[in-house]
């Protein structure tokens, strides 16, 4: 196959193993079609096909990854042209897949972690009558996300972007007979439409500015475009990223999305949907390198969201919603990192990868707890589960240590680098961002320690009809693999700067040497002190006394606000929903009374006039003769008057 960018320096056409790149998307897409359209005849083996598809894509992804490693650094961008999609005069859009370091690491994350989640789902959904449909929609989710990260132009990326939105809607509302699930799916869909509007407008603006929507054309000419236009594109891309990645002010949908089956939550939070916004910003880094204003806003959004998510996580008792708030916060760290600009993009991707391991691990652990507790999600009704669910406890503990940044775990390597990069930005801006990131680390240690204490330690608060038990091996085995990744993946990825060096062709080099605002050793010690303070606060406030089964009503205003997601829904209702409703009503009034009124009024006038004129047509000859006589008389009289005059 001939690449459309075969003659561009840094890009080579697909050859050898790279001709298989399109199979990454095709395999799960075909599997999804078979499972969703095959009907009941696929029920018996549908879950097996559903698991085989991402595993096959993961195997191909490994082949392509090692193929990239075998190339020179400047040649690690291979474009495979499949067919021309939109040929219109001088405007051409192709369906082409780009495998480069950035897309390769996302492919391995999506298919690797996704495969483990699929295997876990075999046990978790074993008794669900719609298990085959569930796996079909999971495969659709994986295929859409792979298309998103492999696209070599923004229009094809948008197709994957919308595919992810569709799949999330179907999976969040999988149990649509539950009103809460149906409402949550609708909410996620509508909130994401706001962000998607931003991305679609950005693509249109790219076309009018650059005459193209391909990554190559847009990025190569971004520096020569008007600065205001590039800033507008960057801000619109950020709006899209905020919707998909649940960042302020479009973060409210993520907490309600927990109404879907727990494997869906793991897939959304760890490997697919919420990482899409971070990918979009990192992939579009040439635009943000040109526009400092757009990049600063990315930083602000990330910093605000990481603190908001952490505060919300401190107040909820629903185990899945605590983890959802944690995802908002951790994605905020990633957005902060990619917003810091050149030298920090790779650090954001590093945290994204380590987060994929420990967050998938903890969501699957939460699902295991629910499996053993008759689907109970209220942590106030847990307690003491470490003894009856030992595998779940130890695997979850690995994720806990990683997310709080315990030394030498995955989160320790990635989160510390973000805090360091924020402080190294220098000036008041660097100090504010760095201190917010540091405060987020302390809050993370608090709410995650609170979750561990309320779930696995303390007094047993189970209902009488609940008999906790360990999950089957088909569920615990993926948790063990993810637990190992939570502990060691970060160290392996940063060993000798391996990940940062590998990502250089896609996002530029990683600047981690030189003069630091705070010496790395001192900053690490300071971060550990803050983390220890968060753990100690959780022990002091939660572990020293029995946890009440009912949620206390006498709480501080901050806790009250946090339990209401810091009024995120109220903000969205005020900023988006109510103005939108008023606009809709105004348009309906204008359309009904204005446009339709004018059309209908003119029609009524013509009809009334016709009805009145029709009365003169009686159909009787004598009436017509009398009318003719009267007319002739009038004419003769007029002529005589004229002659006399």
């Amino acid at each position: 196959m001939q690449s459309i960018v075969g003659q561009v320096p840094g890009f080579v056409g697909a050859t050898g193993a790279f001709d298989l790149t399109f199979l990454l998307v095709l395999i799960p897409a075909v599997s999804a079609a078979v499972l969703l359209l095959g009907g009941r005849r696929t029920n018996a083996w549908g879950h097996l096909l559903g698991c085989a598809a991402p595993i096959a894509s993961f195997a191909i992804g490994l082949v392509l990854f090692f193929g990239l490693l075998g190339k020179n650094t400047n040649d690690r961008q291979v474009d495979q042209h499949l067919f021309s999609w939109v040929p219109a005069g001088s405007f051409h859009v192709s369906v082409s897949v780009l495998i480069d370091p950035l897309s390769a690491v996302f492919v391995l994350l999506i298919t690797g972690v996704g495969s483990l989640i699929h295997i876990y789902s075999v046990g978790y959904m074993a008794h669900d009558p719609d298990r085959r449909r569930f796996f079909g929609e999971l495969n659709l989710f994986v295929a859409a996300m792979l298309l998103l990260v492999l696209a070599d132009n923004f229009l094809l990326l948008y197709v994957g972007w919308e595919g992810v939105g569709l799949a999330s809607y179907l999976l969040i509302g999988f149990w649509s007979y539950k009103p809460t699930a149906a409402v949550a799916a609708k909410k996620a869909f509508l909130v994401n439409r706001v962000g998607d509007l931003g991305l679609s407008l950005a693509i249109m603006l790219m076309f009018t500015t650059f005459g193209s929507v391909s990554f190559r054309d847009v990025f190569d000419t971004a520096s020569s475009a008007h600065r205001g236009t590039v800033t507008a594109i960057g801000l619109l891309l950020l709006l899209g990223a905020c919707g998909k990645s649940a960042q302020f002010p479009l973060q409210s949908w993520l907490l309600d999305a927990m109404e879907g089956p727990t494997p869906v939550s793991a897939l959304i939070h760890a490997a697919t949907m919420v990482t899409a916004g971070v990918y979009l910003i990192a992939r579009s880094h040439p635009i943000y390198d040109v526009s400092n204003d757009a990049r600063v806003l990315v930083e602000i959004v990330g910093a605000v969201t990481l603190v908001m998510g952490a505060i919300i996580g401190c107040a909820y008792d629903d185990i899945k919603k605590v983890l959802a708030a944690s995802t908002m916060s951790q994605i905020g760290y990633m957005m902060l990192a990619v917003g810091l600009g050149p030298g920090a993009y790779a650090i954001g991707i590093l945290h994204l990868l380590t987060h994929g391991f420990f967050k998938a691990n903890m969501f699957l652990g939460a699902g295991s707890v629910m499996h053993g507790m008759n689907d109970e999600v209220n942590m106030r009704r847990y307690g003491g589960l470490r003894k009856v669910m030992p595998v779940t406890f130890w695997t979850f503990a690995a994720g806990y240590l990683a997310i709080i940044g315990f030394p030498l775990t995955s989160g320790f390597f990635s989160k510390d680098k973000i805090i360091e990069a924020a402080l190294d930005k220098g000036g008041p801006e660097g100090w504010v961002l760095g201190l917010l990131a540091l405060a987020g680390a302390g809050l993370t240690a608090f709410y995650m320690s609170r979750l561990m204490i309320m779930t696995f330690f303390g007094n047993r608060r189970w209902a009488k009809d609940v008999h906790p038990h360990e999950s089957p091996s088909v569920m615990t085995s993926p948790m063990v693999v993810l637990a190992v990744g939570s502990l060691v993946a970060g160290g392996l990825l940063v060993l000798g700067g391996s990940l940062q060096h590998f990502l250089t062709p896609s996002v530029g080099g990683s600047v981690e040497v030189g003069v630091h605002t705070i010496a790395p050793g001192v900053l690490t010690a300071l971060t550990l002190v803050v983390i220890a303070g968060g753990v100690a606060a959780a022990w002091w406030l939660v572990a020293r006394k029995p946890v009440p089964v009912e949620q206390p009503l006498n709480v501080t205003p901050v806790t009250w606000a946090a339990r209401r997601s810091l009024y995120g829904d109220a903000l969205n209702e005020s900023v988006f929903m109510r103005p939108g409703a008023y606009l809709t009503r105004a348009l309906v009034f204008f359309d009904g009374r204005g446009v339709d009124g004018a059309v209908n009024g003119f029609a009524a006038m013509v009809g009334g006039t016709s009805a009145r004129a029709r009365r003169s047509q009686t159909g009787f000859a004598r009436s017509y003769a009398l009318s003719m006589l009267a007319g002739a008389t009038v004419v003769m009289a007029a002529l005589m008057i004229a002659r006399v005059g």
Side-chain angles (χ1 to χ4, degrees), residues 273-292:
M273 187 166 179
V274 296
T275 64
V278 180
Y279 169 81
L280 180 65
I281 301 297
R283 175 62 79 188
S284 306
H285 72 91
I287 292 174
Y288 293 95
D289 290 345
V290 173
S291 175
N292 184 65

Side-chain angles (χ1 to χ4, degrees), residues 556-581:
T556 65
V558 175
T559 303
W560 182 267
R563 287 179 181 174
R564 285 151 183 78
S565 305
L566 297 181
Y567 303 106
D569 286 329
L571 175 65
N572 288 336
E573 183 175 345
S574 299
V575 175
F576 297 108
M577 191 279 285
R578 290 192 182 279

Side-chain angles (χ1 to χ4, degrees), residues 172-324:
I172 294 170
F174 182 77
W175 291 321
S176 57
Y177 57 84
K178 297 167 54 179
T180 52
V183 171
K186 182 173 66 173
K187 181 177 181 180
F189 187 82
L190 293 176
V191 172
N192 272 272
R193 296 290 72 72
V194 177
D196 294 355
L197 176 63
L199 178 57
S200 62
L201 291 175
I203 295 172
M204 296 176 195
L205 188 55
M206 289 175 193
F207 171 61
T208 59
T209 304
F210 307 110
S212 174
V213 293
S214 73
F215 294 157
R216 179 196 63 181
D217 294 336
V218 172
F219 298 158
D220 287 351
T221 55
S223 58
S224 60
H226 188 274
R227 188 64 54 86
T229 302
V230 177
T231 298
I233 293 174
L235 295 179
L236 290 170
L237 290 175
L238 175 60
L239 180 59
C242 286
K244 276 291 183 286
S245 291
Q247 297 294 283
F248 179 81
L250 300 178
Q251 79 285 358
S252 61
W253 67 269
L254 194 61
L255 294 171
D256 294 321
M258 298 303 97
E259 290 294 335
T262 300
V264 175
S265 303
L267 194 62
I268 288 176
H269 289 249
T272 54
M273 187 166 179
V274 296
T275 64
V278 180
Y279 169 81
L280 180 65
I281 301 297
R283 175 62 79 188
S284 306
H285 72 91
I287 292 174
Y288 293 95
D289 290 345
V290 173
S291 175
N292 184 65
D293 293 338
R295 192 170 68 242
V296 168
L297 193 57
V298 175
E299 296 173 359
I300 294 173
V301 167
V304 169
T305 309
L306 78 86
V307 174
M308 286 184 63
I311 293 173
I312 292 171
C314 295
Y316 271 99
D317 295 328
D318 184 319
I319 187 172
K320 289 178 67 177
K321 289 193 175 183
V322 172
L323 294 177

Side-chain angles (χ1 to χ4, degrees), residues 329-640:
S329 181
Q330 298 304 309
I331 298 293
Y333 274 103
M334 301 170 206
M335 294 292 284
L336 170 61
V338 296
L340 292 172
Y345 296 113
I347 298 173
I349 301 302
L350 169 64
H351 192 56
L352 186 149
L353 296 176
T354 60
H355 175 265
F357 283 99
F358 59 71
K359 187 52 62 68
N361 173 29
M362 288 188 291
F363 261 113
L364 297 189
S368 180
V369 170
M370 293 168 57
H371 182 270
M373 294 291 292
N374 291 356
D375 289 330
E376 178 63 66
V377 296
N378 189 345
M379 296 186 297
R380 294 185 178 276
R381 302 185 182 275
Y382 292 165
L385 293 179
R386 72 185 188 282
K387 294 182 179 180
V388 293
M389 305 181 71
V391 177
T392 299
F393 167 67
W394 287 109
T395 54
F396 199 102
Y400 160 74
L401 293 175
I403 194 173
I404 69 172
F406 190 82
L408 302 183
T409 61
S410 294
F412 169 78
F413 291 102
S414 57
K415 191 181 295 183
D416 273 22
K417 288 184 179 296
I418 295 175
I419 298 172
E420 179 182 300
L423 287 169
D424 288 348
K425 190 175 181 67
E429 179 185 347
W431 278 104
V432 170
L433 295 174
L435 291 176
L436 287 176
L438 190 61
L443 290 171
T444 301
F446 173 80
Y447 69 72
M448 287 306 306
S449 298
R450 175 178 177 267
L451 183 152
M452 287 292 293
I453 294 169
M454 294 178 69
T455 302
F456 296 105
F457 296 90
N459 55 312
R460 298 182 175 185
R461 305 175 298 278
W462 316 331
K464 292 182 179 180
D465 61 337
V466 174
H467 305 285
H469 57 277
E470 189 59 88
S471 299
S473 58
V474 71
M475 294 172 62
T476 56
S477 297
M479 291 159 55
V480 171
V481 175
L482 290 168
V484 173
S486 300
L487 296 176
V488 305
L492 295 176
L493 290 172
V494 302
L495 186 64
S498 54
L499 178 68
Q500 296 93 315
H501 175 72
F502 179 69
L503 290 174
T504 297
S506 298
V507 298
S510 178
V511 180
E512 301 174 46
V513 296
V515 179
H516 297 285
T517 302
I518 299 178
V522 175
L523 179 59
T524 297
L526 176 61
T527 303
L528 292 177
V529 169
V530 172
I531 291 170
V535 175
W539 175 83
W540 180 263
L541 296 174
V542 182
R544 290 188 310 117
K545 52 187 177 181
V547 175
V549 176
E550 299 300 328
Q551 189 180 69
L553 298 178
N554 185 20
V555 295
T556 65
V558 175
T559 303
W560 182 267
R563 287 179 181 174
R564 285 151 183 78
S565 305
L566 297 181
Y567 303 106
D569 286 329
L571 175 65
N572 288 336
E573 183 175 345
S574 299
V575 175
F576 297 108
M577 191 279 285
R578 290 192 182 279
Y582 293 146
L583 177 61
T584 301
R585 291 170 187 166
L587 292 175
V588 169
F589 178 83
F590 175 74
D591 183 66
R593 299 295 180 87
V595 178
D596 287 351
V599 173
N600 294 336
F602 181 75
M605 181 190 70
V606 173
T609 303
S610 301
R612 290 178 176 83
R614 193 164 54 244
R615 294 173 184 172
S616 63
Q617 304 297 317
T618 63
F620 297 114
R622 60 181 180 270
S623 297
Y624 298 152
L626 180 61
S627 299
M628 294 171 63
L629 177 61
T633 302
V634 171
V635 172
M636 291 296 294
L639 291 175
M640 292 176 64

